[in-house]
């Protein structure tokens, strides 16, 4: 009891001396700042979600920030009347193909750069990094001519193959492989394990977090592609979601733009990458070294 009383007296003394009052405002203002930052960043999404449920007349009432009753109608029209559902399927196929192809190609490239000796290996790696200065929009004209020569216009090949080579993914996998102990490589050599078997049975199981992180980045990047699909896909049935959203801008009711329909399409386009980010956020943080494994 005496010890408890002494502890209470110490707490009272500390509070009276100002140590508690000095610490409290710092923590309080820090939390207020964090809450304000989160609210500010999420405000556009919240407003878009609210507008996606409102009618045209409700949206043009500036002070009306309450959810409306047009949500089901707006989302149904966007998905089926304006073919966003079909566009989503195309975007999903494109994104998955790019993720699988890019990871497979990057793993093989990193395997060669780390575990094989060949002339000018470092120069090859520098050249791979140099391609970061030449993204797809910079190469759009020669790429378009190549697609025409290959007769790939309006095909899934045109919107997937140009994205398969990735200097960023090769760099990440190379750095990760270099951190794997050399003793495992020596053990594999003693067991006469070839390069592909070593990749499948040793490197990939030890790189699941890195692979998942690269997959998340690649999926979100592929899902949001707009310029290249717009250039090489001319018919509507093969178009992707980001380009398909453009068709919603022309909708109007009584001479007014249907912002509720447009916002419902924007929310629909946001949901798949958001789910991927939420489910695989841990390996994504590990990829950038922001979270310990």
């Amino acid at each position: 009891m005496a010890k408890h009383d002494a502890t209470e007296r110490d707490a009272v003394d500390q509070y009276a001396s100002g140590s508690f009052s000095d610490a409290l405002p710092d923590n309080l203002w820090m939390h207020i700042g964090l809450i304000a930052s989160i609210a500010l960043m999420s405000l556009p999404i919240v407003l878009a979600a609210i507008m996606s449920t409102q009618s045209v007349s409700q949206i043009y009432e500036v002070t009306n920030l309450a959810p409306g009753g047009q949500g089901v109608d707006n989302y149904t029209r966007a998905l089926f009347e304006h073919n966003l559902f079909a566009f989503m399927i195309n975007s999903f196929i494109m994104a998955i193909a790019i993720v699988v192809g890019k990871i497979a190609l990057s793993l093989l490239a990193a395997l060669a750069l780390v575990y094989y000796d060949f002339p000018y290996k470092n120069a090859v790696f520098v050249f791979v990094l140099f391609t970061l200065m030449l993204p797809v929009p910079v190469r759009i004209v020669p790429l378009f001519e190549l697609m025409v020569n290959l007769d790939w216009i309006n095909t899934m090949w045109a919107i997937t193959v140009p994205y398969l080579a990735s200097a960023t993914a090769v760099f990440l996998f190379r750095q990760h492989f270099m951190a794997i102990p050399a003793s495992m490589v020596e053990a594999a050599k003693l067991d006469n394990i070839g390069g592909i078997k070593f990749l499948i049975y040793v490197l990939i199981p030890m790189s699941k977090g890195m692979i998942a992180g690269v997959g998340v980045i690649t999926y979100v990047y592929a899902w949001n592609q707009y310029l290249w699909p717009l250039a090489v896909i001319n018919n509507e049935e093969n178009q992707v979601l980001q380009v398909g959203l453009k068709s919603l801008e022309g909708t109007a009711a009584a001479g007014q733009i249907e912002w509720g329909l447009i916002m419902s399409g924007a929310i629909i386009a946001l949901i798949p990458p958001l789910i991927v980010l939420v489910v695989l956020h841990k390996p994504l943080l590990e990829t950038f070294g922001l979270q310990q494994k």
Side-chain angles (χ1 to χ4, degrees):
M1 179 65 70
K3 183 177 180 180
H4 179 70
D5 293 340
T7 303
E8 288 186 348
R9 285 196 300 271
D10 292 340
V12 171
D13 293 339
Q14 288 180 0
Y15 181 82
S17 64
S19 60
F20 280 6
S21 60
D22 291 339
L24 182 59
D26 293 338
N27 295 332
L28 180 63
W29 285 113
M30 180 185 69
H31 285 87
I32 291 175
L34 290 173
I35 294 172
S37 299
I38 294 172
L40 185 63
M41 289 186 290
S42 61
L43 182 61
I45 299 176
V46 173
L47 290 177
I50 293 174
M51 291 175 65
S52 69
T53 65
Q54 295 178 336
S55 63
V56 175
S57 59
Q58 289 174 328
I59 288 176
Y60 281 92
E61 295 175 6
V62 181
T63 58
N64 186 4
L65 298 178
Q70 287 285 112
V72 175
D73 183 62
N74 287 338
Y75 282 94
T76 302
R77 289 178 58 201
L79 282 171
F80 301 107
E81 289 186 18
H82 295 273
N83 295 326
L84 289 194
F85 183 76
F87 296 151
M88 285 184 67
I89 298 298
N90 294 335
S91 290
F92 180 77
I93 295 173
M94 179 190 72
I96 294 299
I98 292 174
V99 168
V100 174
K102 181 175 289 189
I103 289 178
L105 189 62
S106 300
L107 284 171
L108 292 172
L111 175 70
L113 290 170
V114 175
Y115 296 107
Y116 287 85
D117 291 325
F118 53 89
Y120 307 108
K121 182 170 72 171
N122 292 332
V124 170
F125 179 62
V126 172
F127 178 77
V128 171
L129 294 181
F130 179 76
T131 60
L132 289 172
M133 301 176 64
L134 298 171
V136 170
V138 176
R139 296 170 284 153
I140 193 168
V141 174
L143 270 176
F144 184 82
E145 293 182 355
L146 179 61
M147 296 300 107
V148 172
N149 294 332
L150 294 174
D151 197 23
W152 283 0
I153 298 297
N154 290 323
T155 66
M156 191 61 64
W157 297 105
I159 55 177
T160 55
V161 174
Y163 292 105
L164 297 186
S166 171
T168 303
V170 172
F171 173 78
L172 291 173
F173 286 134
R174 175 184 179 272
Q175 299 305 113
H176 181 71
F177 289 170
M178 291 178 67
I180 293 177
S183 59
M184 301 193 68
V185 182
E186 297 299 328
K189 289 180 179 179
L190 293 175
D191 293 336
N192 292 323
I193 297 178
I196 299 300
K197 285 187 177 181
F198 182 66
L199 174 66
I200 295 174
Y201 295 108
V202 179
L203 295 180
I204 290 179
M206 296 183 65
S207 309
K208 289 181 179 178
M210 180 64 69
I211 292 172
V214 173
V216 172
I217 298 170
T218 303
Y219 182 87
V220 175
Y221 173 76
W223 182 267
N224 291 323
Q225 287 306 304
Y226 173 82
L227 180 60
W228 181 243
L230 178 64
V232 296
I233 302 296
N234 298 325
N235 56 350
E236 183 175 316
E237 63 181 12
N238 293 331
Q239 197 53 268
V240 297
L241 180 59
Q242 301 302 329
V243 180
L245 289 176
K246 189 73 175 178
S247 64
L248 298 179
E249 294 183 7
T251 58
Q256 295 176 322
I257 298 176
E258 294 191 80
W259 288 108
L261 185 64
I262 295 173
M263 291 303 158
S264 63
I267 296 297
I268 290 171
L270 176 67
I271 290 175
L274 182 61
I275 293 175
V276 173
L277 286 172
V278 171
V279 173
L280 298 176
H281 70 281
K282 288 185 178 180
L284 179 63
L285 294 178
E286 291 176 2
T287 301
F288 289 103
L290 299 176
Q291 178 173 313
Q292 294 182 352
K293 297 180 180 180

